[in-house]
Amino acid sequence: MKNLRLAALNGGPRSRVDVSGVTFGEGVVVMAGPCSIETEAQTIETALAVKAAGGDMLRGGAFKPRTSPYSFQGLGLGGLKLLAKARAETGLPIVTEVIDPRDVTWVAEFADMLQIGTRNMQNFALLKEVGRCGRPVLLKRGMYSTLEEWLNCAEYILSEGNPDVVLCERGIRTFERYTRNTLDLSAVPAIKELSHLPIVIDPTHSTGRVSLIAPMTLAAVAAGADGLLIEVHNNPQKALCDADQALTPRQFTRLMKQLRPLSKLMEDLTDHKVDQSGHGSKAQEGGS
Ligand code: PEP
Ligand code: MN
């Protein structure tokens, strides 16, 4: 791909992105939490559940890019304060979306990682701003975008001097209507061929259905994803945003119990070179 001066793999090493002690590019990083921050009780209860289940980071929107201007738009500053409180109680770093270039500097004072949502992937003013904010960025794929367009958007952030970009595949628009979007899982190995940047999967917005989240999460781990972004709500029926796709703490806990052993198995498999006869031999042992 032309013009990917900084995002391309070019035979170089894979990037690791540190977010307040959590490292993308080493095992599977799980970010989980509500779609939007609603109340203190909702935020803290959900954060404690994410932590107890073994999640690595807390997600939650204080600024929500909604299809309708009349839908709940998020709590703004109040939401960021609740996220900071949840971080203080759980120790989980927080990732939250920023939708306006004018807000980047002060939102970065609260967040450990800034999220650029699918609708803003090609908001170049916003990309340039987060490229100068000194915080790692989670860059979601535009729902109508090719891998090349997506990587060029990462390039915008990198070229402003911010090396800490993590890509997030969250489903693309196809003719299918049963699922909210179509999860392009091939983006994981494809991005790994093209770029050194870590890539995570959002099984929540890509499927829009609770029943499909666990299978697609496990498939993402098997495909080699560096992490997951999963919506969890302490009481999904009462959620102000994306109620149909949030896992309960119980469902999330069950999923984490499947995810961690699978992730360990994938690490063991990639540590082993499987020779032509099909017998594995540890790469580090030299396979003499
Ligand atoms: C989100 O993760 O909160 C979100 C709004 O996702 P997307 O931008 O992928 O729709
Ligand atoms: Mn959501």
Side-chain angles (χ1 to χ4, degrees):
M1 280 176 189
K2 279 186 294 176
N3 289 329
L4 292 180
R5 296 186 195 171
L6 301 167
L9 181 60
N10 278 341
R14 299 208 169 277
S15 284
R16 295 189 173 192
V17 174
D18 175 79
V19 181
S20 305
V22 171
T23 310
F24 288 84
E26 260 179 34
V28 174
V29 173
V30 179
M31 297 168 276
C35 181
S36 64
I37 299 301
E38 299 162 3
T39 65
E40 177 162 347
Q42 171 243 12
T43 308
I44 304 292
E45 261 182 50
T46 308
L48 289 170
V50 167
K51 171 79 179 179
D56 302 295
M57 286 178 61
L58 178 66
R59 65 145 284 143
F63 298 95
K64 296 307 301 176
R66 304 303 300 278
T67 300
S68 163
Y70 309 117
S71 301
F72 176 59
Q73 304 284 310
L75 297 180
L77 174 61
L80 295 173
K81 287 184 177 164
L82 292 178
L83 278 169
K85 191 161 189 183
R87 173 178 51 205
E89 290 212 13
T90 59
L92 297 173
I94 56 187
V95 55
T96 196
E97 182 166 355
V98 62
I99 60 180
D100 188 321
R102 294 168 296 186
D103 294 335
V104 168
T105 310
W106 68 270
V107 174
E109 286 171 23
F110 287 89
D112 298 277
M113 183 181 219
L114 294 177
Q115 177 174 321
I116 301 295
T118 189
R119 294 160 188 81
N120 271 315
M121 185 200 82
Q122 282 186 318
N123 180 338
F124 300 114
L126 186 59
L127 297 177
K128 285 183 190 169
E129 206 56 48
V130 297
R132 296 191 282 256
C133 75
R135 290 277 185 220
V137 177
L138 184 66
L139 178 63
K140 288 194 144 192
R141 179 180 182 180
M143 63 181 96
Y144 303 106
S145 303
T146 64
L147 299 183
E148 185 166 10
E149 286 161 341
W150 188 17
L151 287 172
N152 271 286
C153 291
E155 191 78 22
Y156 265 89
I157 302 170
L158 299 170
S159 64
E160 289 295 327
N162 187 345
D164 295 323
V165 177
V166 175
L167 301 166
C168 178
E169 157 66 32
R170 50 79 69 208
I172 50 176
R173 277 273 169 96
T174 67
F175 50 79
E176 184 53 65
R177 287 290 164 264
Y178 182 70
T179 48
R180 182 171 172 179
N181 291 279
T182 297
L183 176 58
D184 178 9
L185 211 45
S186 67
V188 174
I191 287 289
K192 284 178 184 282
E193 281 176 5
L194 295 167
S195 175
H196 55 87
L197 298 172
I199 173 167
V200 305
I201 290 292
D202 173 347
T204 304
H205 294 89
S206 52
T207 64
R209 285 180 180 262
V210 163
S211 60
L212 303 185
I213 292 172
M216 298 324 285
T217 295
L218 300 175
V221 173
D226 297 300
L228 278 312
L229 182 71
I230 303 174
E231 285 188 353
V232 178
H233 193 289
N234 66 326
N235 187 358
Q237 283 153 340
K238 291 270 167 67
L240 294 179
C241 182
D242 287 352
D244 298 338
Q245 60 184 37
L247 298 186
T248 61
R250 207 188 165 91
Q251 289 167 326
F252 178 64
T253 304
R254 193 180 314 137
L255 176 56
M256 289 298 285
K257 287 193 177 139
Q258 298 173 312
L259 183 155
R260 290 302 186 203
L262 181 62
S263 155
K264 172 78 178 55
L265 176 65
M266 289 305 295
E267 269 171 44
D268 290 351
L269 288 174
T270 44
D271 268 1
H272 285 67
K273 275 198 184 125
V274 177
D275 66 29
Q276 301 248 308
S277 63
H279 300 300
S281 64
K282 264 254 183 218
Q284 299 93 297
E285 287 164 7
S288 60

